[in-house]
């Protein structure tokens, strides 16, 4: 009987265009579209910035000092520049604020004498902070000039560069690229399937309970000689399956965007993705998704039973979004690891366990605890739903 109810409700759910869009179309397309757009936009602005001619005013009484000479000699690898020589700062700030100038560098008149005496020279750089990238470019120019002046200074003093660098650090990172990505970006994966898993559960839950109340078919269903708990379980299975499907399609869309369409230009990204998408990882992820989506269904059903309209159900579930997403965000924070404390915190443990699975450093004892905790919470949510579903006042609108 549970399977009959499940089959009937699943058929009705798959006929709902809104549910199909939320469960399949949006999850599988949203990540490639977002990733493709963000990559294209970033590349466009980077290329545009490199092509933009940077107008730099050089203010000094001596326009032929070493700084201006070396700046003029820098090739346009950091972007084209136009040097404008000035002898005072009159109207300088106004020109920069109006973007007729992008940068201004005030060079001391005795710059060459200071360098000849091996002293430190102070230059002032005027820029507009809201114009991102301009400061980085001038820092690149100054760094090149500083290195050349330093070489001249050491050559003039007949000194070895190692005198100012007594220690040569060599950092050997024993972490694999997979571990680094798992720790840095692995938290995004569970956040993604938590979002779409929740959304995938939400629309079927509203339709199967609030929708049936609006259509006056829920009372008819309850008059059939079927125990109420079987009706609840049949509907809950459809809601959970929709959430799992939405989460899986979201992950498929993400990995397709990374792997098939090469939307991110990271060396070795394809090999890392292939290393992550192992059968054990996929099975482990699905095992974690099952109690998670059941938990989602269990907390949604009482809200959708209580609501009297589709709009009211959406309003009731909106605050629940924040309650669910907050622990997901906490799990993404750095330096929060899966241990014997966080393994007992629902949703946070799923996020952290997934990060460890992506990195390949999962502790199976902690994974088992995390899974058991989510199973307990899923069972409690089912019990709560059953008690709310059993109240006549909630069912009859």
């Amino acid at each position: 009987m549970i399977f009959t109810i499940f089959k009937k409700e699943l058929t009705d759910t798959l006929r709902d265009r809104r549910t199909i869009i939320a469960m399949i179309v949006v999850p599988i397309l949203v990540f490639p579209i977002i990733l493709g757009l963000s990559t294209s936009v970033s590349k466009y602005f980077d290329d545009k910035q490199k092509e933009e001619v940077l107008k730099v005013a050089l203010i000094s009484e001596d326009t032929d000092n070493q700084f201006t000479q070396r700046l003029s000699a820098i090739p346009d690898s950091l972007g084209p520049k136009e040097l404008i020589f000035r002898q005072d700062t009159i109207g300088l700030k106004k020109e920069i604020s109006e973007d007729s100038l992008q940068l201004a560098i005030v060079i001391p008149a005795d710059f060459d004498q200071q360098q000849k005496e091996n002293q430190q020279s102070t230059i002032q750089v005027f820029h507009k902070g809201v114009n991102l990238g301009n400061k980085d470019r001038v820092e690149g120019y100054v760094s090149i000039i500083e290195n050349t002046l330093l070489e001249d200074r050491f050559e003039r003093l007949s000194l070895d560069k190692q005198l100012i660098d007594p220690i040569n650090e060599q950092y050997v990172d024993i972490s694999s690229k997979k571990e680094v990505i798992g720790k840095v970006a692995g938290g995004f994966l569970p956040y993604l399937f938590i979002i779409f898993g929740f959304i995938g559960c939400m629309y079927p839950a509203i339709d199967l309970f609030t929708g049936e109340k609006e259509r006056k078919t829920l009372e008819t269903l309850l008059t059939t000689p079927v125990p109420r708990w079987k009706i609840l379980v049949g509907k809950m299975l459809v809601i959970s399956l929709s959430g799992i499907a939405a989460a899986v399609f979201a992950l498929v869309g993400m990995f397709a965007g990374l792997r098939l369409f090469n939307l991110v230009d990271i060396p070795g990204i394809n090999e890392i993705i292939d290393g992550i998408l192992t059968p054990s990882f996929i099975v482990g992820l699905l095992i974690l998704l099952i109690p998670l989506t059941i938990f989602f269904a269990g907390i949604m059903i009482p809200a959708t039973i209580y609501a009297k309209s589709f709009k009211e159900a959406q309003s009731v579930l909106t605050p629940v979004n924040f309650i669910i997403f907050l622990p997901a965000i906490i799990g993404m924070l750095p330096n929060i690891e899966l241990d014997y404390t966080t393994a007992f915190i629902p949703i946070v443990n799923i996020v952290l366990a997934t990060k460890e699975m992506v990195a390949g450093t999962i502790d199976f004892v902690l994974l088992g605890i995390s899974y058991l905790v989510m199973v307990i919470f899923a069972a409690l949510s089912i019990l709560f739903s059953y008690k709310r579903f059993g109240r006549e006042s909630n069912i009859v609108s």
Side-chain angles (χ1 to χ4, degrees), residues 309-358:
S309 66
F310 192 95
K311 185 176 181 180
E312 183 182 353
Q314 283 185 311
S315 300
V316 171
L317 288 176
T318 298
V320 181
N321 282 330
F322 296 102
I323 297 173
I324 294 297
F325 296 157
L326 182 60
I329 294 173
I330 292 173
M332 293 174 62
L333 297 176
N335 299 324
I336 297 181
E337 303 289 340
L338 184 66
D339 53 31
Y340 286 98
T341 300
T342 55
F344 286 93
I345 305 175
I347 301 180
V348 172
N349 55 10
I350 297 295
V351 176
L352 298 177
T354 307
K355 285 173 65 175
E356 299 292 340
M357 288 168 61
V358 172

Side-chain angles (χ1 to χ4, degrees), residues 118-324:
N118 302 319
Q119 297 177 0
Q120 185 182 62
S121 301
T122 300
I123 63 169
Q124 282 186 308
V125 180
F126 292 84
H127 68 99
K128 195 174 179 180
V130 294
N131 293 338
L132 302 178
N134 288 350
K135 184 181 177 184
D136 293 336
R137 283 174 68 172
V138 77
E139 285 176 348
Y141 296 146
V142 173
S143 177
I144 293 172
I145 294 171
E146 192 174 26
N147 286 334
T148 58
L149 289 172
L150 195 60
E151 289 177 2
D152 289 350
R153 183 173 294 186
F154 271 83
E155 184 178 347
R156 185 167 58 250
L157 296 174
S158 301
L159 296 175
D160 189 347
K161 281 187 177 182
Q162 294 182 0
L163 290 173
I164 63 168
D165 194 11
I167 298 176
N168 180 29
E169 307 95 341
Q170 290 185 344
Y171 295 97
V172 181
D173 190 355
I174 61 172
S175 301
S176 64
K177 288 184 179 180
K178 182 180 175 182
E179 289 179 316
V180 173
I181 289 180
K183 297 295 183 182
V184 176
F188 183 72
L189 281 179
Y191 184 74
L192 185 70
F193 68 63
I194 285 172
I195 290 176
F196 286 104
F198 188 88
I199 294 173
C201 288
M202 185 172 69
Y203 286 104
I206 294 174
D207 184 65
L208 293 180
F209 290 94
T210 310
E212 289 216 32
K213 285 178 67 175
E214 285 186 307
R215 295 188 294 268
K216 306 296 182 181
T217 57
L218 187 58
E219 294 92 335
T220 305
L221 180 62
L222 294 175
T223 59
T224 58
V226 181
R228 190 164 291 184
W229 70 269
K230 291 186 178 181
I231 296 173
L232 176 65
V233 171
K235 288 176 175 289
M236 183 173 281
L237 288 175
V238 175
I239 297 170
S240 300
L241 182 62
S242 300
I244 292 173
V248 169
F249 281 119
L251 295 175
V252 168
M254 187 192 71
F255 282 114
L258 293 172
R259 181 69 174 86
L260 300 179
F261 304 113
N262 295 320
L263 295 177
V264 176
D265 186 18
I266 299 177
I269 186 67
N270 292 337
E271 291 76 11
I272 295 171
I273 292 173
D274 292 340
I276 292 173
L277 291 179
T278 59
S280 60
F281 173 78
I282 295 171
V283 171
L285 196 60
L286 289 174
I287 290 175
L288 290 175
L289 275 174
I290 292 172
L292 181 67
T293 52
I294 293 175
F295 173 69
F296 287 162
I299 62 177
M300 288 180 188
I301 289 173
T304 54
I305 292 172
Y306 172 80
K308 294 180 175 59
S309 66
F310 192 95
K311 185 176 181 180
E312 183 182 353
Q314 283 185 311
S315 300
V316 171
L317 288 176
T318 298
V320 181
N321 282 330
F322 296 102
I323 297 173
I324 294 297

